[in-house]
Amino acid sequence: MSYPGYPPPAGTYPPQPGFYPSQPAGYPPQPGTYPPQTGGYPPQPGGYPPQPGAYPPQSGGYPPQPGAYPPQLPTGSWGGGPSGGYPSTAPGSFPAPGYNAGMGNQISAGMGPFTPNPSMFPQAPGGYPPAPGGYPPAPHVGGNGALCPNLQSYGLYPQPGGTMPQQQYPAMGFPGQPGQTMPGYPQAPSPNPPMPGFGGAPAPMPGYPNAPSPNPSMPAYGGGGAMPVAPVVNRGFRGTIMDFPGADPLKDVEVLRKAMKGFGTDEQAIIDLLGSRSIKQRVPLCRAYKTSYGKDLVKDLRSELSGDFRALVMAMLKSPTELDVSELHDAMKGAGTDEACLIEILSSRSNAEIREINRLYKETYKKSLEEAIKSDTSGHFGRLLIALSQGNRDERENVDVSLAQQDAQALYAAGENKLGTDESKFNAILCARSKPHLRTVFYEYQKMCGRDIESSISREMSGDLESGMLAVVKCIKNTPAFFAWRLYKSMKGLGTKDRTLIRIMVSRSEVDMLDIHQEYVKNYGKSLYTHIHGDTSGDYRKLLIKLCGGND
């Protein structure tokens, strides 16, 4: 009987142009060709499998016999590789530069232009393909309804009447081709790691319709998951004060002691030392001074210095958390309240920094920061500050556009689209969502109603609540621009708000002062250095300019 779907021509398999020519006693076998002729299975003598010398080779196994397929390889070094067996090294590690190229030359010499597929090499019993019930599970039904076991994907020739394009996948080519590695033997560890979407786990498909959202807790946008977010670019250190190489606290306090000893004070020595040490190098000076001299450095400096210069030096000897705690406490101390200071600190610090502020505030002043805020503020502004003081903002970087659109619609419905304003909705969104998410919300809001969020806040709110909400929005939109705005306001007009100037210059000198420089020039047409130089004087100005990083 003839093989189903494979009407063979008389005697041999019709070679296609450019394919492997038939060799005597090679593949395909001559008398009794494959598929077997009338007589059924098992094949008759001379049928399939072929006799010795045919394909596949009989007794002797691998390596093949002379005249069989593939051709016998020459003895000795093969393509630059060492003799004595194949392969001579672990899969995927070929130290000899000519190994792959040589191997390709040896095989291509005997094979011509044919591109072999690893799956067309038969294996010993127990190998590939497995016994019935294994892989492939069932014969493939061709387009004419016939069973076609010789699919192109199995490495055999295409059906007569048309050729199927053969795909070449990365890292699956023939040895010797540039930029590709050799696939391993069947049942051996593959030198090629699984590729997503091909021979391994399915690759994720962001942005395709009906794909699951990468963030299941948030609704997907268009069924395609979260909006692609540009990767965070590490721009390096953006501060102006760096660690001084080789700084020694004991030697530094000796310089400070000498500057304060005797008649008068050497302010320049203090400026040079403090202006060239980072926060982590300045903070240990108090303990080192007491260890060396048995005296309190802060008290000695306070007695020797005066004015804004003294206030700046005192701020520089505190840790970032200590400075924030003292500034928050002083902002609520006495009759008035510095609401802008409260908003500035609580809206610009990370969750971890706010939690540390809460801890140290209670340890220092014996009551919680929340209690202090409640006793000094009220209404929606007080609730805004309390919400910010929890340190519970979402800090994930991914953005879900559909959720951002929902939040933009909620803000519009709570303000512009109703009589009165639902301030609690603004609090809930502005204090809980991540900053990347809120930037998308502000963009979607402006797209939806044709007005930016700041204009809507100014139209819907007033007083401290308006100022607080605007400050939060500015800080979220662009933190360096927010601090540039705060610095500009501290030096604008008659007089200088030195407390604000000192706090920002000290707290941002090792964070983003270089970015603040750029925003200052862009928004106000003059450099921060120029404004500080024109608005301050004396030793105070010298130390501020050290923190500023000099002229732009």
Side-chain angles (χ1 to χ4, degrees), residues 165-253:
Q166 181 170 354
Q167 288 181 299
Q168 293 291 334
Y169 291 94
M172 295 296 290
F174 188 71
Q177 293 181 0
Q180 295 180 336
T181 58
M182 182 185 71
Y185 289 119
Q187 296 183 327
S190 172
N192 302 296
M195 296 176 290
F198 183 77
M205 298 182 296
Y208 280 82
N210 303 321
S213 171
N215 189 353
S217 64
M218 297 183 180
Y221 178 61
M227 179 183 73
V229 178
V232 177
V233 178
N234 183 9
R235 300 178 62 197
F237 181 71
R238 302 299 296 165
T240 52
I241 301 293
M242 294 181 285
D243 289 345
F244 187 83
D248 183 349
L250 294 178
K251 292 182 180 178
D252 288 347
V253 296

Side-chain angles (χ1 to χ4, degrees), residues 218-373:
M218 297 183 180
Y221 178 61
M227 179 183 73
V229 178
V232 177
V233 178
N234 183 9
R235 300 178 62 197
F237 181 71
R238 302 299 296 165
T240 52
I241 301 293
M242 294 181 285
D243 289 345
F244 187 83
D248 183 349
L250 294 178
K251 292 182 180 178
D252 288 347
V253 296
E254 186 177 341
V255 172
L256 293 175
R257 175 65 177 167
K258 185 178 178 181
M260 293 183 286
K261 190 176 180 181
F263 183 75
T265 305
D266 186 357
E267 288 87 355
Q268 189 60 49
I270 296 173
I271 292 169
D272 291 340
L273 190 140
L274 295 182
S276 61
R277 302 295 189 269
S278 65
I279 292 174
K280 71 178 183 181
Q281 291 174 329
R282 296 194 303 261
V283 170
L285 295 179
C286 294
R287 181 172 295 178
Y289 190 87
K290 188 170 284 188
T291 300
S292 297
Y293 304 107
K295 300 180 72 176
D296 190 296
L297 177 60
V298 171
K299 287 183 179 178
D300 282 1
L301 286 171
R302 191 182 295 276
S303 66
E304 293 289 332
L305 308 176
S306 62
D308 294 324
F309 178 56
R310 176 172 65 185
L312 177 56
V313 169
M314 295 297 103
M316 292 181 70
L317 290 174
K318 294 176 181 176
S319 70
T321 306
E322 290 171 342
L323 180 60
D324 286 342
V325 165
S326 66
E327 289 293 301
L328 289 169
H329 178 262
D330 291 346
M332 295 181 283
K333 184 175 68 175
T337 303
D338 187 352
E339 294 86 358
C341 170
L342 299 177
I343 288 289
E344 175 198 306
I345 292 175
L346 295 177
S347 64
S348 63
R349 304 308 192 249
S350 68
N351 288 345
E353 290 168 339
I354 290 175
R355 292 183 190 124
E356 184 63 16
I357 288 169
N358 276 288
R359 184 198 66 78
L360 188 58
Y361 193 98
K362 187 163 189 178
E363 180 183 303
T364 305
Y365 301 108
K366 310 308 177 188
K367 70 175 182 178
S368 69
L369 176 60
E370 183 177 332
E371 292 170 344
I373 292 172

Side-chain angles (χ1 to χ4, degrees), residues 416-438:
E416 293 277 1
N417 201 34
K418 68 176 291 186
L419 186 63
T421 306
D422 184 1
E423 292 86 355
S424 62
K425 179 59 69 176
F426 279 80
N427 270 12
I429 293 175
L430 294 181
C431 299
R433 303 296 195 210
S434 71
K435 292 183 178 181
H437 175 86
L438 286 172

Side-chain angles (χ1 to χ4, degrees), residues 63-107:
Q65 304 304 314
Y69 174 85
Q72 176 67 34
L73 304 175
T75 60
S77 175
W78 184 22
S83 61
Y86 171 78
S88 56
T89 58
S93 56
F94 301 121
Y99 192 66
N100 280 355
M103 185 165 56
N105 293 338
Q106 290 286 350
I107 297 182

